[in-house]
């Protein structure tokens, strides 16, 4: 039975899901071997086909808060989750321009679904940058097999987002004990591996890659956001979780030199916003063409002939096209910087991504709101669930403030000040 028609009741918010009884390297129930994508063109074709399939059930999944388990299994099986694995490890190693377009396509169909693998690619990138040869071989093999990485990074109630209090205590045998509580853990509920941001005794930042079924690890489905309702971005509790030394990576080293970690992570967020805007505009076009009535003063037989509506659609289309253009520029800047990473190339990439993200966030909110302006009263019916686009946009754009991105762009342009390396730009 497909996820679009299932009568399965999602777990009640605040409840804890028990971990599946399987090893992390075994095939999950209902999941076969993953395809291996050969290159950029194939990756884009697969993403477009998946987006078309995910679009039809997106409104119903959101309305019923029906978690997209089957859709995520299809995503895993498609091979898309492995497209950034380096070629020497058997992956397609697609460009960042391709990766951004994959996310834009998925988000145009279902923004919640597109948000879930964002951290997956971020933490694949950490492995690429900081993993040993053995760690890269192991985890890239997992990713090629369709395994999903979640995340456990943010913490509530701390001083700020960089105030990480989860601790990795080293044991005499070299292994670690992981203790802490994480919130907004998008992807953790559906993951095979959960990367956990934590600090060691010297306060250095590390990532511990923990199997979803590890003893002492609990994922609580308590996400109650008004938007992105099916991301299951709940709580992860870590109660003295045992972590082998070879499952811990020194993430603090990422920020000791020129880096693209933040640019890649933010590029995917920008792509999600761009996808939300495109999806909302597409819904508005379809609604006005097929359902909206013309305003009586216009003198036209259909709403689509109204010159005032035509003007507004033109304005919205310009905004969407501008966002997509900025997204493409940012992605190409990252690809250029990857080919020759310096302080200057990393700065250019970060600033380009910041510009794309700031513009995409504003566009997503504007277009998803204007959907109702151009469509008319009927579009506000709760049964149509067109408001999911605005709820998703408003929720997703809260990840980090665009005002600080504008500050860093201004400092760079006016004074040549290089953007910070904190990983959020």
């Amino acid at each position: 039975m497909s996820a679009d028609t299932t009568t399965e009741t999602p777990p009640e918010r605040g409840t804890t899901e028990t971990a599946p009884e399987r090893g992390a390297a075994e095939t999950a129930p209902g999941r076969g071997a993953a395809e291996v994508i050969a290159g950029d063109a194939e990756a884009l074709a697969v993403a477009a086909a998946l987006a078309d399939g995910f679009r039809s059930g997106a409104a119903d999944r959101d309305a019923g808060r029906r978690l997209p388990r089957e859709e995520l299994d299809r995503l895993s099986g498609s091979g898309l989750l492995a497209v950034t694995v380096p070629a020497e490890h058997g992956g397609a190693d697609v460009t960042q321009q391709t990766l951004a377009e994959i996310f834009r396509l998925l988000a145009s169909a279902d923004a919640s679904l597109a948000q879930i693998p964002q951290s997956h690619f971020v933490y694949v990138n950490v492995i690429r940058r900081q993993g040993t040869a053995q760690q890269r071989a192991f985890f890239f093999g997992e990713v090629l097999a369709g395994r999903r990485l979640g995340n456990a990074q943010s913490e509530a109630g701390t001083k700020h987002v960089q105030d990480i209090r989860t601790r990795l205590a080293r044991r005499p045998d070299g292994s670690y004990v992981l203790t802490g509580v994480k919130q907004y853990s998008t992807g953790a509920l559906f993951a095979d591996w959960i990367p956990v941001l934590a600090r060691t005794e010297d306060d250095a930042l590390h990532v511990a890659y923990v199997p979803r079924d590890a003893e002492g690890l609990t994922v609580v489905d308590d996400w109650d956001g008004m938007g992105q309702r099916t991301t299951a971005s709940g709580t992860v509790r870590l109660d003295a979780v045992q972590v082998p030394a070879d499952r811990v990576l020194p993430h603090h080293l990422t920020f000791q030199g020129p880096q693209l970690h933040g640019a890649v992570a933010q590029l995917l967020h920008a792509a999600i916003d761009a996808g939300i805007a495109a999806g909302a505009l597409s819904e508005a076009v379809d609604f006005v063409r097929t359902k909206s009535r013309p305003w009586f003063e216009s003198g036209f037989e259909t709403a689509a002939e109204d010159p005032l509506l035509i003007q507004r659609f033109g304005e919205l289309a310009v905004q969407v096209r501008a966002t997509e253009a900025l997204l493409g520029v940012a992605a190409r800047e990252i690809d250029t910087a990857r080919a020759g990473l310096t302080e200057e190339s990393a700065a250019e990439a970060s600033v380009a991504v910041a510009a794309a993200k700031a513009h995409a966030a504003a566009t997503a909110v504007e277009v998803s709101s204007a959907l109702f302006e151009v469509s008319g009263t009927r579009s506000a019916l709760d049964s149509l669930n067109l408001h999911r686009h605005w709820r998703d946009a408003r929720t997703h754009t809260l990840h980090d403030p665009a005002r600080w991105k504008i500050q860093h762009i201004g400092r760079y342009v006016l004074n040549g000040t290089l953007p910070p390396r904190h990983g959020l730009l």
Side-chain angles (χ1 to χ4, degrees):
M1 181 179 291
S2 73
D4 295 342
T5 58
T6 182
T7 57
E8 176 186 350
T9 302
E12 184 179 349
R13 288 189 185 89
T15 61
T16 301
E17 284 215 343
T18 57
E21 295 182 359
R22 59 179 178 82
E26 298 172 6
T27 301
R31 285 163 58 185
E35 299 291 334
V36 178
I37 290 174
D40 294 68
E42 183 182 357
L44 290 172
V46 170
L50 284 175
D52 285 343
F54 295 157
R55 183 173 290 108
S56 62
D60 288 341
R61 284 192 297 274
D62 175 270
R65 195 178 177 272
R66 211 161 54 234
L67 303 183
R69 299 180 186 279
E70 182 178 324
E71 288 77 15
L72 285 171
D73 285 347
R74 288 168 57 193
L75 182 63
S76 293
S78 74
L80 272 187
L81 296 183
V83 294
T84 59
V85 170
E88 60 266 30
H89 288 274
D93 202 6
V94 301
T95 65
Q96 293 302 297
Q97 190 168 3
T98 293
L99 186 62
E101 180 63 6
I102 289 169
F103 271 80
R104 192 194 70 82
L105 287 168
L106 294 176
S108 71
D110 186 337
S112 288
L113 184 55
Q115 178 63 39
I116 292 170
Q118 189 267 346
S119 291
H120 169 94
F121 285 96
V122 168
Y123 286 104
V124 168
N125 202 34
V126 171
I127 296 164
R128 180 176 187 147
R129 173 93 177 191
Q130 298 302 339
T132 64
Q134 292 78 12
Q135 287 170 327
R136 290 196 297 271
F138 174 77
F139 279 112
F140 289 152
E142 288 287 279
V143 173
L144 284 165
R147 310 290 186 262
R148 295 192 287 263
L149 307 183
N151 96 84
Q153 54 187 25
S154 295
E155 300 179 12
T158 56
K159 186 176 181 180
H160 50 69
V161 70
Q162 295 277 339
D163 183 13
I164 303 296
R165 301 183 185 181
T166 297
R167 292 292 158 178
L168 266 173
R170 196 172 184 93
R171 303 176 70 195
D173 65 359
S175 66
Y176 294 88
V177 177
L178 183 61
T179 303
V181 179
K182 300 287 189 176
Q183 275 79 31
Y184 312 123
S185 302
T186 304
L189 191 68
F190 313 108
D192 299 289
W193 292 89
I194 301 178
V196 181
L197 275 186
R199 296 190 184 276
T200 47
E201 292 178 358
D202 61 357
D203 213 37
L205 191 64
H206 290 70
V207 179
Y209 288 74
V210 183
R212 168 69 175 82
D213 56 359
E215 184 176 355
L217 185 153
T218 305
V219 179
V220 184
D221 180 20
D222 56 0
W223 171 240
D224 193 31
M226 69 173 181
Q228 295 197 295
R229 296 182 64 199
T230 60
T231 59
S233 302
T235 301
V236 171
R237 302 185 186 280
L238 304 144
D239 183 13
V241 176
Q242 308 295 309
V243 184
D246 63 357
R247 297 295 181 260
V248 177
L249 278 69
H251 194 31
H252 59 99
L253 298 180
T254 299
F255 309 103
Q256 292 185 4
Q259 55 84 34
L260 298 170
H261 175 81
V264 171
Q266 291 296 307
L267 179 74
L268 302 186
H269 282 307
I272 292 169
D273 288 339
I276 293 172
L281 182 60
S282 178
E283 289 259 32
V285 167
D286 181 68
F287 197 95
V288 171
R289 284 177 176 173
T290 62
K291 298 180 179 67
S292 294
R293 296 183 298 178
W295 184 243
F296 72 95
E297 291 178 286
S298 72
F300 289 98
E301 291 297 315
T302 68
E305 297 173 281
D306 185 336
L308 298 182
L309 281 180
I310 290 171
Q311 175 72 20
R312 187 62 175 132
F313 270 98
E315 293 167 350
L316 296 174
V318 167
Q319 289 294 97
V320 171
R321 284 173 178 257
T323 282
E324 292 171 355
L326 285 170
L327 185 68
V329 169
R332 290 192 293 274
E333 287 286 356
I334 295 177
D335 285 325
T336 298
R338 283 178 65 184
L341 189 60
T342 64
E343 291 284 4
E344 289 71 25
S345 66
E348 286 288 343
S350 290
V351 168
V353 172
K357 180 64 172 69
H359 196 279
T363 300
V365 173
E366 179 184 357
V367 176
S368 59
S369 176
L371 186 160
F372 303 97
E373 169 197 336
V374 297
S375 299
T377 306
R378 186 181 173 191
S379 64
L381 293 177
D382 193 53
S383 59
L384 297 177
N385 200 15
L386 294 177
H387 47 71
R388 74 185 185 282
H389 298 290
W390 182 86
R391 289 187 288 102
D392 285 342
R394 187 64 281 175
T395 301
H396 182 255
T397 54
L398 299 177
H399 270 86
D400 45 90
R403 59 186 176 274
W404 274 99
K405 297 184 186 302
I406 300 299
Q407 280 284 311
H408 292 307
I409 294 169
R411 291 170 184 173
Y412 181 72
V413 170
L414 184 60
N415 299 316
T417 304
L418 298 181
R421 297 176 182 164
H422 52 47
L424 294 174
L425 192 72

